[in-house]
Amino acid sequence: MTIEHHDLAHEFPELKDRIQQMRAENAHFARLFDAYHDLNNEIEALEKDEVPTSDDRFEALKKQRLALKDELYGMLTAA
């Protein structure tokens, strides 16, 4: 199975500098970024190692990742 990388640098390459700046200057953003990163690693490990998990759990993890990504993107693009 091909693993797609969903880290924020791959998702939003045009915002890479802004991501670094926000991580350094905004503690809330940094916590959300870390939560996103940890969740993304968990999902990728499940995909890579083909660890048995229910479809419902896997989909729930992916929905959590998407919600975090949406929130982080909103913070990154806020004026």
Side-chain angles (χ1 to χ4, degrees):
M1 177 191 303
T2 302
I3 306 299
E4 290 186 41
H5 296 287
H6 291 276
D7 61 276
L8 291 181
H10 279 91
E11 294 290 310
F12 311 120
E14 71 282 5
L15 297 173
K16 187 176 181 179
D17 292 338
R18 180 79 174 134
I19 291 167
Q20 291 175 346
Q21 177 187 10
M22 291 283 292
R23 283 185 71 200
E25 296 174 358
N26 185 317
H28 178 65
F29 180 90
R31 280 191 300 275
L32 291 177
F33 178 91
D34 290 342
Y36 177 89
H37 181 74
D38 292 344
L39 186 57
N40 188 55
N41 285 343
E42 181 179 353
I43 292 168
E44 286 184 6
L46 289 172
E47 292 173 333
K48 178 182 159 206
D49 298 333
E50 297 182 12
V51 175
T53 189
S54 71
D55 288 341
D56 290 339
R57 174 165 161 56
F58 192 64
E59 287 302 313
L61 291 173
K62 290 169 69 174
K63 286 178 182 179
Q64 286 176 330
R65 178 176 64 187
L66 181 59
L68 282 170
K69 182 167 64 171
D70 286 346
E71 187 172 355
L72 289 164
Y73 182 77
M75 293 173 77
L76 287 165
T77 58

